[in-house]
Amino acid sequence: MTLPPRAEPTVAELLEGFAERRVGALARAISWVEDGEEFAGELLDSLYEQTGNAWRTGLTGPPGAGKSTLSDVLVRYWAEKGSQAALIAVDPSSPFTGGALLGDRVRMDQALADAGVYVRSMANRGSLGGMSLATGAAADLCDAFGFPEIILETVGVGQAEVDIMAAVDVAVVVLTPQSGDGIPAMKAGLMEVGDLFVVNKADCAGADRLKHEIESILDLRQTPGPMPEVVTCSAKLGDGIQDVAIAIERRRKVMTESGFLETRRNTRALARIRRLLEGGLRAEIWSHAQMEGKAKAALADGARPDAIAAQLLNEVLKKVNVCDE
Ligand code: GDP
C-alpha cells in the first residue's frame, strides 16, 4: 500500500504552531527555507517582528577540533542556566556529499533533545544563494520561535564557513594544539572572522604555546572591532567550559556597549540583501530576458565572451534606467 503524500501545512498553520511553540512547526519551517519552498518568504515576513532577541554564536574550525563536543557542553551549560538553545549543525560542502560529514552530530542529537536543546542539521542542497542565506533564515526562525541562544556549528573550514561566521553575532574559532592549527586557520581567513578563539584539547601538550601563537597573530590583525580573546578548554573533560561561556558573554557586552554589534547586524542585513538581489538578478536575467539565446547567437557570430557579457550587461542596465523614469 502506498501512503498518500503528506499535506504541506499552510503559512497560517505554521504561524499557529510557532505561537504554540510546537517544535514540529519549527522543523517544517526550516525545511521550507532549506528547500526554497514558495511560501517560505511569506512565513519569514510574518515572523520578522519576533526576531532580534536571540544571540547567534558561530562555532567553526578544522574537522576534529572538537566543535561538536564543545557545542554539546555549551548548550547544556546554557540549558542549566535556563537559556534554551537551538543548535544548527551545518555542512556547507558540495550538495553531492548530502551532508555525510554530519553523521557524528546526528548521533548526538537525541541526548541533546532530552536536555531541551533543539538540534537541527543542515546540509547543502544546492540552494540558490548558498548556505549562508539558508542558515541565516533558519536562525531567524529559531529566533522568532523564542530560543534565546542559537549556535551555528560548521563541520569544517572553507569560504562557505567563513560566510556563515560573518552572519553571527559572535564567531568562535576552535583550534587544537596537536594539529598545528594556527597557520591553516589563518590561511582560511578565520583569523579575520573570529571574535573569540578557543584552544580546545588543553589536556594535550602545547595548548599554551598555541594560545600565544594565536595572540601574536591577532596582534597583527587589522579587522575593525574589539580585540578577540583567546581561551583554553578541554571540551571532552568539561574543563574550562565556564570560561568559554563567560568569554562569549564578555564579548557580547563589549560589542553591545561599543555599538559594534549594531554595526555588525546592519552589515549582516545589507550583505543578505545584496546576496538575495544578486542571486535573484542572476536567475531572472538568464532565464527571462533571453540572455542565453542572445549570448549563443553572439558566440556564433564569433564575438569574444567578455565582450558579449559587457554588451548584455549594458542592455540590462539601460532597461533598469528606463524603469527608474
Ligand atoms: P569536530 O569535528 O570539530 O566537531 O570534533 P569532535 O567534537 O567530533 O571531536 C573530535 C575528537 O576529538 C573526538 O574524538 C572527541 O572526543 C575528541 N575531543 C574533543 N574535545 C576534546 C578534548 O578537549 N580533549 C581531547 N583529548 N579530545 C577531545
Side-chain angles (χ1 to χ4, degrees):
M1 190 183 80
T2 50
L3 290 170
R6 196 164 49 142
E8 274 302 321
T10 61
V11 170
E13 282 165 348
L14 285 185
L15 289 174
E16 201 182 300
F18 268 64
E20 291 168 5
R21 293 205 88 233
R22 274 189 267 121
V23 166
L26 174 61
R28 184 62 74 89
I30 296 179
S31 298
W32 275 19
V33 300
E34 220 175 5
D35 296 339
E37 210 276 345
E38 103 177 89
F39 297 109
E42 189 184 326
L43 178 69
L44 286 161
D45 279 347
S46 309
L47 291 168
Y48 186 62
E49 280 193 358
Q50 297 169 44
T51 62
N53 304 312
W55 281 107
R56 297 169 193 215
T57 305
L59 273 188
T60 193
K67 296 176 297 297
S68 40
T69 313
L70 179 61
S71 53
D72 195 88
V73 285
L74 208 49
V75 292
R76 284 170 195 275
Y77 176 88
W78 279 329
E80 274 167 26
K81 298 215 164 294
S83 258
Q84 294 300 328
L87 168 57
I88 305 174
V90 196
D91 178 2
S93 53
S94 143
F96 304 111
T97 66
L101 287 170
L102 288 165
D104 285 346
R105 158 54 66 204
V106 172
R107 277 193 287 282
M108 287 165 129
D109 288 359
Q110 192 49 50
L112 285 176
D114 293 344
V117 175
Y118 175 72
V119 189
R120 171 71 181 224
S121 302
M122 290 179 78
N124 188 352
R125 298 194 193 172
S127 53
L128 188 72
M131 282 305 280
S132 63
L133 282 181
T135 50
D140 284 347
L141 290 168
C142 295
D143 186 349
F145 194 81
F147 282 105
E149 295 285 353
I150 299 169
I151 289 200
L152 291 171
E153 172 200 320
T154 70
V155 297
V157 251
Q159 188 49 49
E161 283 87 348
V162 169
D163 286 349
I164 292 168
M165 287 307 115
V168 295
D169 298 322
V170 175
V172 180
V173 176
V174 186
L175 300 170
T176 61
Q178 306 120 319
S179 46
D181 280 344
I183 303 302
M186 196 167 62
K187 281 196 187 135
L190 286 181
M191 299 314 277
E192 280 77 36
V193 94
D195 296 298
L196 174 66
F197 289 80
V198 172
V199 175
N200 187 34
K201 308 197 186 181
D203 50 298
C204 303
D208 281 335
R209 207 187 54 230
L210 178 60
K211 179 173 187 278
H212 292 133
E213 202 179 303
I214 298 169
E215 280 165 346
S216 52
I217 298 172
L218 288 174
D219 276 342
L220 305 171
R221 180 169 118 141
Q222 311 235 310
T223 321
M227 191 65 168
E229 264 187 79
V230 187
V231 292
T232 56
C233 79
S234 175
K236 192 172 164 184
L237 307 180
D239 286 347
I241 302 309
Q242 195 175 359
D243 297 341
V244 175
I246 290 172
I248 292 173
E249 278 297 325
R250 207 164 25 230
R251 182 76 185 180
R252 289 171 179 175
K253 194 161 178 280
V254 169
M255 287 177 68
T256 310
E257 285 170 0
S258 63
F260 190 67
L261 181 71
E262 198 186 337
T263 311
R264 173 168 290 184
R265 287 184 171 179
N266 280 335
T267 309
R268 175 165 90 201
L270 277 178
R272 188 169 181 84
I273 294 168
R274 186 178 156 180
R275 250 171 210 274
L276 283 166
L277 202 61
E278 284 173 354
L281 277 176
R282 253 199 310 272
E284 283 296 312
I285 289 172
W286 198 247
S287 59
H288 293 300
Q290 290 107 35
M291 285 296 156
E292 193 170 353
K294 287 181 186 170
K296 275 186 183 159
L299 273 178
D301 284 346
R304 197 170 67 93
D306 298 25
I308 301 172
Q311 164 70 25
L312 293 176
L313 179 64
N314 237 336
E315 270 185 40
V316 174
L317 292 179
K318 270 189 205 143
K319 282 200 180 130
V320 173
N321 282 339
V322 169
C323 293
D324 274 350
E325 282 162 10

